[in-house]
Amino acid sequence: NIHNVRVARLSAEDFVEAYAGVRPYKRLKDAGIQLGTPPPDGPVEGAAVFDRLRTLFVDPPRAGLDATCRDLARTFDRVVYVSCSPETLARDLADLAATHRPVRVAAFDQFPYTPHLEAGVVLERR
């Protein structure tokens, strides 16, 4: 039995707003997830409190990360980036280079006999 994992599906834009405390999201509450500092009267009973997330996992579409997501990524200590597009991966890594450096890189040929390649990069704050 796994008890320390909670899942809530949010768009990138919704997560950015929730993480910044712009507004609450019912999907997070229903999943028992509280982002940010708990209120003065304490967290909701049974809620998993995430007052400071340190690692961001992204697996964007072929278009890569949009500007909002790149801005969000800059605020994390570590970014785990999985990409199906070498072109947008290179663009996004160049954009994040001022704040993060790659520490691990891996390539995965998940689709043999095709030109498609998956890549994984672990970035850490400079």
Side-chain angles (χ1 to χ4, degrees):
N1 290 334
I2 299 173
H3 301 284
N4 64 346
V5 175
R6 307 284 170 89
V7 176
R9 185 176 176 148
L10 284 88
S11 71
E13 293 81 7
D14 289 350
F15 178 80
V16 169
E17 285 188 352
Y19 191 61
V22 172
R23 73 178 187 92
Y25 281 83
K26 185 176 182 317
R27 286 167 282 168
L28 290 173
K29 183 179 178 185
D30 290 350
I33 298 171
Q34 182 173 331
L35 295 177
T37 306
D41 57 347
V44 174
E45 185 176 336
V49 177
F50 298 96
D51 58 342
R52 183 168 189 298
L53 300 176
R54 291 173 177 78
T55 301
L56 177 68
F57 176 85
V58 294
D59 184 4
R62 290 195 185 281
L65 296 176
D66 62 19
T68 301
C69 291
R70 288 193 303 271
D71 288 344
L72 175 69
R74 286 186 195 90
T75 68
F76 282 79
D77 295 339
R78 180 178 300 114
V79 178
V80 178
Y81 191 128
V82 175
S83 176
C84 61
S85 172
E87 294 83 9
T88 57
L89 174 63
R91 180 203 67 203
D92 292 346
L93 294 181
D95 191 59
L96 295 171
T99 56
H100 289 77
R101 64 185 178 85
V103 294
R104 301 273 190 281
V105 178
F108 305 95
D109 185 10
Q110 292 182 300
F111 308 103
Y113 310 110
T114 73
H116 300 289
L117 182 71
E118 295 284 322
V121 181
V122 176
L123 303 161
E124 290 187 353
R125 182 176 301 288
R126 291 187 179 276

